[in-house]
Amino acid sequence: MSNLAVLPIIVPLLAGIIAAFIPRKTTVVRIFSRVMTIVNLAIAMYVGFEVYQNGSIILETGGWKAPFGIVIVADMLSVLLVITTNIIGVACVFFASRSLTDKQESFYFYTFFFLLITGVSGAFLTGDLFNLFVFFEVLLMASYGLLVLGGNKVQFRESIKYILINLFSSMLFVTVVAFLYSVVGTVNMAQIAQRVQEVEQQGILTTIGILLFFVFATKAAIFPLYYWLPKSYIVPNPVVSALFGALLTKVGIYSIIRVFTLIFIHDTAMTHQLFIWLAAFTMIFGVIGALSTNNVKLIVVYNIIPAIGFMLMGIGLYSETAVAGSIYYLLHDMVVKGALFLLVGAIVALAGTSDLRKMNGLIHHYPVIGWMFLISTVALAGIPPFSGFVGKLLLLQGGLEQGNIAIVIVGLVTSLLILFSMIRIFIRGFWGEKDESFTPDKKKARAFAWPIGCLVAITIFLGVGAEFVYPIVADISTYLLDPSLYIDSVLKE
Amino acid sequence: MEIVTSILAGILFTTGIYNLLQKQLLRIIIGTSLISHGAHLFILTMGELKRGNPPILVEGVTNYVDPLPQALILTSIVISFGVTSFLLVLAYRASQTNQTDNMDELRGNEHE
């Protein structure tokens, strides 16, 4: 029964291996991948249902007891994120055949795609710090493959930088694990958390905590460490950008949530205060980047960064409301970023340019894409009936409860500027006179619209159906703020 | 003994980072492998370098060295092998396509 927890990792892994045997038969591998992603989503949802009914599933791999073997911990937070990952996966796999060329598709796109899903799900589900590193590498290796797929000049240029920065942060991760091992003598997260409370010299632990934060901050693109992100996310195919934008940075922020609610909570005055500062700078600098450019892809890429800032702010405030806000915002942002990246990919493909100044009056030709773009934009900015509102409301409420007015003001102003930067695409690109010389490709637009429509529908559900989702998120927040629940469920004492 | 290996790991990190900040692509890759050597040596050091027998079960032997860091290093070595070989091939292809291996020339907005 507890083997359920490993299925969201095993199924995409096997699917990726099988897809590697039939790369040239494009139709076969396409149908196979679509079926497998849907199967995997169904499995993830079933695991989610089981966890919701009976509490966390702990799988001790190989039958070794908890601190000695590797544990897979499926608690509510991990499972929700795995489900969201698979939703993005389904949308992207259906979008892929419409946006990739046949040649790119036949060069192992689906294998890399499934390995990316394996790595992301594994990183969400693992209960062991070194295993987290391994799953990081699984997803990074897959992302390197996806990033250079197609192989034009710019992709080579930018992927070198992306790989170098990730290689360096991975090595730093290994070093920090070694540091932590020498202090607490274990790599199992639950046991580390238990021993950290007993260690007398807290100074060294704070140092290790900050180092670990820098590793995850590089992956998640937080203020001083976000410089690698914008360029390397616009060069690959739109569907690959969507996978990256929706999943990769979120793995970093999930690791920060996990580590800084479970392990390093002995000196919150220092660490979590630092997070609030960095969150404010992340929001400001990200949104400045988004305002600075006329390239539609770059505008959306820069909008990843303030969203990360919002989530970090919730962890920094470290109260029940704020952490719930972070988690709600995380779920919302994965879906809405997936939708926006796919939309922008569709817009660039349909308009034939990514320069905002050269677009005009697209709404006359592609009304469905246009209205979906508007919905995603207002959802991102946090206009009430849509999903971004709930998360931001909770975050700002958490800020006010602690009397931290400055961060609340930064958050509100950033939201306004996010709306401004995104609505610019809608106004400049979709409004205006109908261009009669432009011949629209309605068939292609319809094909693009389906996968995006599903993601937009989920965004609307997350906003309108907040009453269904919020109690779960609130429970997770309570669970996260009491590390003994996690420790007891894993170590079973 | 730990002091010596710690200093050695520190030197490996320093030279690695110095090479990472160079302009030539191949030097940068040499820098990354120096850093990974430093990291692996550091894991070994942090598992304590006390004298003991290799961690293979033999009758009559009791004092073994810590087997966990060795397993961690082995995993980490193969991962960095994989990434380095990918990076080398990528550097080869990139320098062919872009006609340069100078990092200063691998930038600009003209191809966006």
Side-chain angles (χ1 to χ4, degrees):
Chain A
M1 194 58 210
S2 67
N3 283 339
L4 265 181
V6 83
L7 282 182
I9 308 174
I10 295 283
V11 172
L13 180 63
L14 288 177
I17 293 169
I18 295 168
F21 285 109
I22 43 170
R24 301 290 183 274
K25 298 189 182 73
T26 326
T27 351
V28 180
V29 77
R30 205 180 277 171
I31 293 166
F32 170 76
S33 312
R34 288 178 181 180
V35 171
M36 284 316 281
T37 43
I38 290 172
V39 167
N40 199 26
L41 177 63
I43 291 172
M45 282 183 162
Y46 179 64
V47 177
F49 177 72
E50 282 290 325
V51 174
Y52 183 64
Q53 293 285 314
N54 308 324
S56 318
I57 303 177
I58 316 290
L59 170 64
E60 292 166 336
T61 50
W64 292 89
K65 262 187 66 62
F68 305 113
I70 289 171
V71 279
I72 306 283
V73 183
D75 56 13
M76 222 34 228
L77 173 60
S78 324
V79 166
L80 265 184
L81 291 174
V82 168
I83 293 172
T84 321
T85 305
N86 281 303
I87 291 170
I88 310 281
V90 171
C92 283
V93 112
F94 276 85
F95 194 86
S97 57
R98 283 132 193 179
S99 115
L100 290 160
T101 62
D102 275 357
K103 190 158 181 243
Q104 288 171 336
E105 239 179 322
S106 68
F107 273 92
Y108 304 97
F109 169 79
Y110 292 105
T111 304
F112 285 130
F113 164 79
F114 278 118
L115 289 179
L116 188 81
I117 300 285
T118 311
V120 173
S121 310
F124 286 146
L125 286 169
T126 185
D128 180 295
L129 213 52
F130 195 77
N131 201 228
L132 179 66
F133 161 73
V134 175
F135 276 120
F136 261 123
E137 288 305 309
V138 171
L139 73 91
L140 285 174
M141 279 301 272
S143 75
Y144 304 155
L146 289 173
L147 192 57
V148 292
L149 189 74
N152 60 36
K153 250 179 162 176
V154 209
Q155 273 177 311
F156 281 133
R157 205 177 66 188
E158 296 305 326
S159 53
I160 286 179
K161 295 164 195 171
Y162 176 79
I163 295 175
L164 283 174
I165 199 80
N166 276 305
L167 188 56
F168 183 75
S169 77
S170 296
M171 282 305 133
L172 194 60
F173 194 178
V174 173
T175 319
V176 177
V177 170
F179 250 134
L180 199 55
Y181 179 69
S182 80
V183 176
V184 294
T186 177
V187 286
N188 180 295
M189 288 206 243
Q191 209 186 8
I192 294 174
Q194 198 181 33
R195 290 204 181 159
V196 155
Q197 293 161 10
E198 297 158 6
V199 169
E200 279 143 24
Q201 287 191 319
Q202 306 268 309
I204 184 77
L205 283 172
T206 311
T207 314
I208 294 171
I210 298 290
L211 271 173
L212 205 53
F213 173 74
F214 268 84
V215 173
F216 294 141
T218 317
K219 315 262 185 204
I222 285 166
F223 159 60
L225 303 163
Y226 68 84
Y227 48 85
W228 56 271
L229 182 127
K231 282 284 171 58
S232 53
Y233 274 34
I234 61 168
V235 293
N237 195 282
V239 61
V240 177
S241 304
L243 280 170
F244 284 15
L247 304 178
L248 295 194
T249 48
K250 290 5 175 233
V251 180
I253 205 80
Y254 161 80
S255 309
I256 293 175
I257 293 180
R258 185 59 92 200
V259 165
F260 285 91
T261 55
L262 180 65
I263 300 175
F264 301 106
I265 43 167
H266 54 276
D267 191 6
T268 48
M270 198 257 149
T271 47
H272 291 59
Q273 194 62 39
L274 175 75
F275 296 170
I276 295 181
W277 277 97
L278 289 180
F281 280 115
T282 311
M283 287 184 221
I284 295 167
F285 278 77
V287 89
I288 288 174
L291 290 170
S292 71
T293 170
N294 275 316
N295 183 338
V296 284
K297 285 182 172 179
L298 211 51
I299 294 174
V300 179
V301 168
Y302 267 116
N303 267 309
I304 295 177
I305 300 166
I308 295 289
F310 273 108
M311 292 169 220
L312 187 68
M313 166 185 160
I315 307 161
L317 290 168
Y318 200 58
S319 70
E320 227 156 85
T321 329
V323 173
S326 270
I327 294 161
Y328 209 103
Y329 202 82
L330 179 56
L331 295 174
H332 138 81
D333 195 61
M334 284 170 85
V335 177
V336 84
K337 282 286 146 58
L340 274 174
F341 272 101
L342 292 182
L343 275 168
V344 159
I347 290 169
V348 171
L350 295 171
T353 171
S354 62
D355 193 336
L356 200 52
R357 285 164 297 192
K358 289 179 190 151
M359 292 178 193
N360 197 16
L362 286 174
I363 196 102
H364 301 290
H365 305 296
Y366 309 115
V368 179
I369 302 259
W371 293 117
M372 285 199 298
F373 188 82
L374 184 68
I375 292 174
S376 312
T377 303
V378 292
L380 185 73
I383 307 286
F386 301 109
S387 58
F389 173 68
V390 190
K392 266 180 193 160
L393 180 71
L394 290 167
L395 283 169
L396 298 178
Q397 203 182 331
L400 284 176
E401 274 169 18
Q402 302 200 356
N404 203 331
I405 305 296
I407 190 80
V408 173
I409 292 171
V410 171
L412 285 170
V413 172
T414 309
S415 302
L416 190 66
L417 293 177
I418 288 174
L419 181 63
F420 176 59
S421 72
M422 291 299 297
I423 210 80
R424 225 158 39 108
I425 304 181
F426 188 71
I427 292 173
R428 295 287 295 271
F430 284 94
W431 284 1
E433 291 294 309
K434 188 174 183 178
D435 188 355
E436 295 294 347
S437 63
F438 186 79
T439 44
D441 191 346
K442 297 263 183 190
K443 194 159 162 268
K444 207 171 174 188
R446 254 200 302 282
F448 280 141
W450 277 110
I452 306 169
C454 297
L455 288 181
V456 173
I458 293 167
T459 329
I460 296 171
F461 168 74
L462 275 176
V464 178
E467 273 186 50
F468 297 105
V469 189
Y470 176 68
I472 303 174
V473 172
D475 282 350
I476 294 173
S477 167
T478 325
Y479 167 83
L480 282 178
L481 289 178
D482 185 4
S484 62
L485 292 173
Y486 181 94
I487 298 171
D488 289 344
S489 71
V490 174
L491 296 178
K492 296 197 185 82
E493 282 171 289
Chain B
M1 193 60 194
E2 277 91 348
I3 302 281
V4 179
T5 46
S6 298
I7 291 169
L8 187 56
I11 292 169
L12 280 169
F13 269 106
T14 322
T15 45
I17 288 166
Y18 177 77
N19 274 300
L20 212 56
L21 298 174
Q22 299 297 303
K23 283 175 187 160
Q24 207 187 345
L25 203 45
L26 205 55
R27 274 178 202 268
I28 295 173
I29 298 171
I30 291 171
T32 60
S33 44
L34 282 174
I35 289 175
S36 61
H37 284 317
H40 299 153
L41 186 64
F42 192 73
I43 304 177
L44 197 68
T45 315
M46 286 293 113
E48 281 191 52
L49 297 169
K50 54 180 186 247
R51 286 191 180 273
N53 291 300
I56 301 166
L57 278 177
V58 182
E59 251 177 75
V61 178
T62 47
N63 60 328
Y64 294 110
V65 292
D66 191 351
L68 188 73
Q70 301 190 9
L72 301 188
I73 293 168
L74 193 58
T75 315
S76 182
I77 284 174
V78 289
I79 288 172
S80 59
F81 260 173
V83 180
T84 309
S85 53
F86 185 84
L87 190 54
L88 279 168
V89 176
L90 183 71
Y92 175 68
R93 287 277 281 130
S95 61
Q96 270 197 333
T97 324
N98 292 304
Q99 309 277 308
T100 176
D101 71 336
N102 187 331
M103 286 308 270
D104 265 358
E105 289 163 27
L106 288 173
R107 61 176 184 188
N109 298 324
E110 67 274 18
H111 299 297
E112 267 169 17

